[in-house]
Structure formats: C-alpha cells, structure tokens
Amino acid sequence: MTGPPDACARPSRATALPPDERRQAIVDAVVPLLVEHGTQVTTRQIAEAAGVAEGTLFRVFDDKAALLHAAAHSLLDPVRTRQALAGLGEELTLEQMVHAVAEQQLRSMTRVMAVLMAVRGTGRPQGSGRPGPPAFVVESSRVLLEELTTLFGRYSDQLRVEPARAALALRALVFGSRQPWAQETDSLTSEEIATILLAGVRRA
C-alpha cells in the first residue's frame, strides 16, 4: 500500500516535442508577446509562453535576435497567407468579402509590424544588405497581392477597376492603418476600410 504523494515532489516532465515542433512552438509564442510588450519582451517571458525552459531557447536559437528573425520569417510565410485567404467562401458578397479580408489583414498587419520593428531593433541585417526590404518580405507582399487579386477576380463584373488595382488599394488602406507610430485614433477600422474601398472600386 502506498502513501499519499509527497507534496514536495516535482511534477513529471512533459513529453519532449520533436525538434521542429519545439522550434515552431517557441516561434509561435513570440508573436503575441511582441504585440503586447514590444522589444522589451524577455527570453524568460518567451520561454514561459512556449512552455520550455529558458535555456532551451538558446539550444534551439543562437540568440534572441535569431529567434526574432525566425518569427518574422514564419509570420510572413506565403503559405500562411494562402491558407488564411483560402478560407473565404465563394458564397460571400463583394461587401462581405472586403470586410472579412480587411478585418483579417488588420489583425495580421498588427502582428507583422510588431515583429518587424523588433527585428529592426536587433540591429542585425534582415536580408542581403541591399537597399530595400528583405526578399522574404517582398515575396510575402507579392503573394498577398496575388491572392487578393484572385479574390477580387470573382467579382470582376461588379468592379469598375481591374481586380489587381482593387487588391492594391485594399492592401494600401490596411498597411496605412497599421503604422507602428500611429495612434489608435489614427487607424481605420475594417468597416471604414470596406466602405472607403467599395465606394471607389464598385460599379454604381
């Protein structure tokens, strides 16, 4: 007969994740922390959110800067963009689609800006050293425009501009509403973006 468990006994350690899953769990934990705390987020906070020991971070990543760069690459992975927009059904009206995309992209842009500002704060080059944004940022933007153009193409008979121009306008409105230096009152809501965009691109 065994007695009651020792109150001071340590809980059993959780099953270790495979290396790739552990790496992704850490990367996924970083993004909401950067949105909340900005560049002041600590490795201890990251480790706690990811459910790993702080030392594990530095066995997976060389340093905090490498972790932030990995988070930026993961967040801007074109596969994520395609998957997010693929969930918008063809049964949506033009207005419903624009509103849904605007809301989705505003949330995404908030995360993207937080991560990219943190990466910039590391002082480590993000790309090849050439002027302009890193190649992975350019590719992510290209895929977003491509996917938005496809979405607007469903409603081409309702547009007075080419689908690609409507996609460009939507991206510009979202991007302009999520600049890191903007105050909350300076930002457009998804409803406002949809109203402004549709007033300009939809046939009368």
Side-chain angles (χ1 to χ4, degrees):
M1 180 175 174
T2 59
D6 184 352
C8 296
R10 293 182 179 180
S12 59
R13 181 174 295 180
T15 304
L17 292 172
D20 287 347
E21 291 184 22
R22 180 176 58 188
R23 177 185 175 87
Q24 191 60 49
I26 295 170
V27 166
D28 289 343
V30 172
V31 176
L33 290 174
L34 287 172
V35 172
E36 182 178 356
H37 301 288
T39 56
Q40 301 305 310
V41 66
T42 66
T43 53
R44 174 175 292 183
Q45 289 172 314
I46 295 169
E48 289 177 353
V52 300
E54 191 171 1
T56 300
L57 298 181
F58 301 107
R59 288 195 292 273
V60 178
F61 299 96
D62 291 340
D63 52 27
K64 184 179 176 182
L67 170 54
L68 296 180
H69 277 259
H73 279 267
S74 177
L75 189 59
L76 289 167
D77 186 343
V79 173
R80 285 179 178 255
T81 300
R82 292 192 175 100
Q83 289 176 340
L85 295 176
L88 298 174
E90 296 187 9
E91 74 280 359
L92 297 179
T93 65
L94 173 60
E95 185 172 0
Q96 289 171 334
M97 183 276 288
V98 171
H99 183 277
V101 171
E103 187 170 352
Q104 180 191 95
Q105 289 302 308
L106 283 174
R107 290 196 303 268
S108 175
M109 191 60 67
T110 297
R111 297 191 295 269
V112 168
M113 285 298 181
V115 172
L116 291 183
M117 290 299 291
V119 168
R120 176 178 292 184
T122 67
R124 183 174 299 176
Q126 301 178 53
S128 61
R130 294 177 299 180
F136 76 94
V137 175
V138 174
E139 176 62 9
S140 176
S141 180
R142 184 194 68 77
V143 169
L144 174 60
L145 275 180
E146 182 180 272
E147 294 298 315
L148 291 178
T149 298
T150 298
L151 281 176
F152 277 107
R154 299 177 185 173
Y155 310 91
S156 57
D157 60 331
Q158 301 178 47
L159 302 176
R160 57 183 177 187
V161 299
E162 292 296 320
R165 306 308 290 175
L168 188 61
L170 177 53
R171 188 190 66 169
L173 285 168
V174 169
F175 182 78
S177 292
R178 283 298 181 267
Q179 296 303 303
W181 54 83
Q183 300 297 315
E184 186 174 346
T185 53
D186 297 332
S187 299
L188 296 172
T189 65
S190 57
E191 292 84 358
E192 290 169 331
I193 288 175
T195 298
I196 293 167
L197 182 77
L198 291 170
V201 305
R202 185 163 54 183
R203 291 183 186 276

